[in-house]
Amino acid sequence: MWLAQFCALFAAAAASVLITAALAFCTARRSPRGFYAVFAAVVVCCAFASSFCLARLAQDEPFPDSAKFTARVLLVRPWGRSAALLLETPYGRAAAYVPQKEAPRAGAEVFVRAASFEFKKAERPGGFDERFYWRARNASRRLVVFEMKETGAPRGLAAWRARVERAFAEKLPPLSSAYMAALTTGARDDDIQELHKKAGTSHLLAISGFHVALLAGALFWLFGKNLRGAIVVSAAIWLYVAAAGAPAGGLRAALMTELCLAAFLAGRPRSAFNGVSCAALFLLLWNPWYFFDLGFRLSVLAALFISAAASVIPQNWKGAAAVAVLVWFVTAPLTASAFGLIPMAGLVLNIVAVPWFSLIFPLVALLSLPALAGLPFARIAAAASEALLLFSHKALSAGSSLVPWAAGPSSALTAAALVIFICAVCARCRVKMETVPILCAIFLFILLYCPSML
């Protein structure tokens, strides 16, 4: 058994190194002095990173088949008719499903008597895989709960998020409450999530680069682009991402921002494209299961494409509109593979929705503060916030009804996304465009051989 596992890991690592070597030779314009030394360093680093990640993926944390223990509830979220729990146990993290009526409070200490099982795998290639979803959240086992009861009051970040969501619900109108919860704690209201899903703008609700960029931009505007501003931005984005539950996309954006801040303070050139690549690599070395998390892959893919396209597309409203359309094509295969269909309304609506919501999200936060702090004129400010969001909802609903079509998973969509992405990356890296067909063929073969990557 161990020999077969070792051979599988060795073969996977060797394939990764060979693909890296092939890409390096295919994309090099010439062989300047020092090329082979750099090439050897890249191959060695790739071999080490691949072997390390594959060993981590194969590692199985010990967890008893059945046990009684005390655990901390890190996450509570709706899961069909049940509630899904992420628990911090003495044996590591585990996931459990309980009836919604019996779900404990987030952050609470609970006594658990349960049996543990391996997570279910996807029923079809590219379908939802319970194992990938929970392992990306560091949970190693699925628990079947026989008994669960709260033994301690909620505390920690999970309890703080629950209190914040309750404060929003009590003091703000419905839409303002739902959006403030989504922007701060990552909680998503079913109604607004369904609307954005139909409009193809669900990414606006996910804590990722869009929200981190808004926060960093606002703080730089307030404190200035200097050492003080960089320290404030660095502290604020990590607190923000931690408060939102440390989603993979948010962690990627925070790491990327940190790398750009380090380059800014050191007086070195800043590269968003390199920042995204390094942030993704660091996260995968920390938890290789992130690769299978849809939010992580969408975040990294979109950020890589946008940063690559920004270097070759004009920096004006036409260029921004082109990027909004092209990024839809680039991310469409992943979204369609996960959800079955992807609304084509997003092709048009994102051109307007992204700049519009980047303007009103800060306004909604500012207009909500008086009600949360109990200041005068709070009702007027909250009403203005609600009116802005209601208008936005009506516009999204009207736009999605004008473009009611949807696209499903297809080889044509995958090929289009592959060509667009590789062309942008090759242009950004100044690679010979005649090598694009070779690169497309290599990656298309990988996708066909390993459909779980979609």
Side-chain angles (χ1 to χ4, degrees):
M1 179 66 71
W2 67 268
L3 181 60
Q5 187 177 33
F6 172 78
C7 291
L9 291 176
F10 178 79
S16 174
V17 173
L18 291 174
I19 291 170
T20 302
L23 292 176
F25 274 113
C26 289
T27 56
R29 285 180 175 270
R30 62 183 189 279
S31 300
R33 178 179 293 180
F35 169 79
Y36 290 103
V38 173
F39 172 76
V42 169
V43 170
V44 170
C45 289
C46 175
F48 170 77
S50 299
S51 302
F52 179 78
C53 289
L54 288 166
R56 288 284 306 277
L57 289 173
Q59 185 178 358
D60 192 14
E61 297 183 12
F63 209 105
D65 294 336
S66 61
K68 300 177 182 179
F69 50 83
T70 300
R72 179 70 56 181
V73 182
L74 301 180
L75 174 71
V76 181
R77 61 164 297 174
W79 197 276
R81 297 181 179 179
S82 302
L85 311 178
L86 180 62
L87 304 173
E88 186 70 62
T89 78
Y91 311 102
R93 290 189 179 184
Y97 306 103
V98 298
Q100 290 191 4
K101 296 180 182 178
E102 302 174 12
R105 293 172 292 174
E109 183 182 85
V110 292
F111 169 77
V112 181
R113 184 169 63 87
S116 68
F117 299 89
E118 293 186 358
F119 291 114
K120 296 178 181 178
K121 298 182 179 180
E123 296 180 357
R124 59 179 179 82
F128 175 75
D129 195 304
E130 184 187 48
R131 178 187 50 164
F132 291 160
Y133 178 86
W134 286 113
R135 289 306 297 263
R137 287 150 183 81
N138 290 316
S140 59
R141 283 294 187 275
R142 174 174 61 90
L143 300 180
V144 173
V145 177
F146 304 129
E147 180 184 358
M148 178 180 289
K149 59 182 179 180
E150 287 193 19
T151 56
R155 61 180 175 85
L157 282 175
W160 178 86
R161 285 195 294 271
R163 287 196 295 269
V164 168
E165 291 167 16
R166 283 197 301 271
F168 290 153
E170 293 170 0
K171 298 181 179 182
L172 296 176
L175 285 179
S176 299
S177 170
Y179 274 97
M180 285 297 293
L183 293 175
T184 55
T185 67
R188 299 190 193 181
D189 179 81
D190 290 340
D191 292 335
I192 66 171
Q193 186 170 355
E194 185 63 26
L195 174 65
H196 280 276
K197 184 179 178 181
K198 290 181 179 178
T201 56
S202 296
H203 58 93
L204 296 175
L205 300 177
I207 302 296
S208 189
F210 177 71
H211 305 86
V212 171
L214 288 179
L215 177 61
L219 292 176
F220 267 131
W221 180 74
L222 288 173
F223 294 94
K225 291 187 176 181
N226 48 39
L227 177 60
R228 182 183 64 170
I231 293 174
V232 171
V233 168
S234 179
I237 60 174
W238 285 110
L239 286 173
Y240 174 56
V241 172
L251 288 172
R252 189 276 308 162
L255 271 175
M256 175 186 169
T257 305
E258 202 69 45
L259 291 170
C260 290
L261 288 175
F264 167 70
L265 294 176
R268 303 291 297 174
R270 298 185 297 277
S271 171
F273 184 81
N274 292 342
V276 176
S277 304
C278 290
L281 176 61
F282 292 154
L283 283 175
L284 289 176
L285 289 174
W286 179 45
N287 182 4
W289 291 99
Y290 273 144
F291 177 80
F292 302 101
D293 182 78
L294 180 64
F296 173 81
R297 285 190 285 175
L298 285 173
S299 175
V300 171
L301 186 62
L304 279 175
F305 175 76
I306 292 171
S307 58
S311 63
V312 293
I313 291 180
Q315 304 293 304
N316 52 37
W317 68 270
K318 293 181 180 178
V323 169
V325 172
L326 292 174
V327 78
W328 183 93
F329 280 101
V330 169
T331 57
L334 280 176
T335 310
S337 176
F339 300 108
L341 291 174
I342 176 172
M344 299 187 70
L347 268 171
V348 180
L349 293 180
N350 276 302
I351 298 174
V352 179
V354 172
W356 172 252
F357 279 95
S358 67
L359 174 66
I360 71 164
F361 277 165
L363 283 176
V364 168
L366 288 174
L367 292 171
S368 298
L369 286 178
L372 295 172
L375 298 177
F377 307 107
R379 298 177 71 177
I380 297 175
S385 169
E386 196 75 359
L388 276 173
L389 292 171
L390 185 59
F391 169 78
S392 305
H393 269 216
K394 289 183 177 180
L396 285 177
S397 181
S400 58
S401 62
L402 290 175
V403 188
W405 306 286
S410 68
S411 55
L413 193 63
T414 302
L418 196 65
V419 171
I420 294 170
F421 178 77
I422 289 179
C423 284
V425 172
C426 287
R428 161 62 179 78
C429 299
R430 299 179 182 179
V431 175
K432 295 182 292 185
M433 297 308 290
E434 53 266 30
T435 62
V436 168
I438 300 174
L439 297 176
C440 289
I442 291 174
F443 282 104
L444 188 60
F445 173 77
I446 294 172
L447 290 177
L448 291 174
Y449 181 75
C450 187
S452 63
M453 292 180 66
L454 285 176

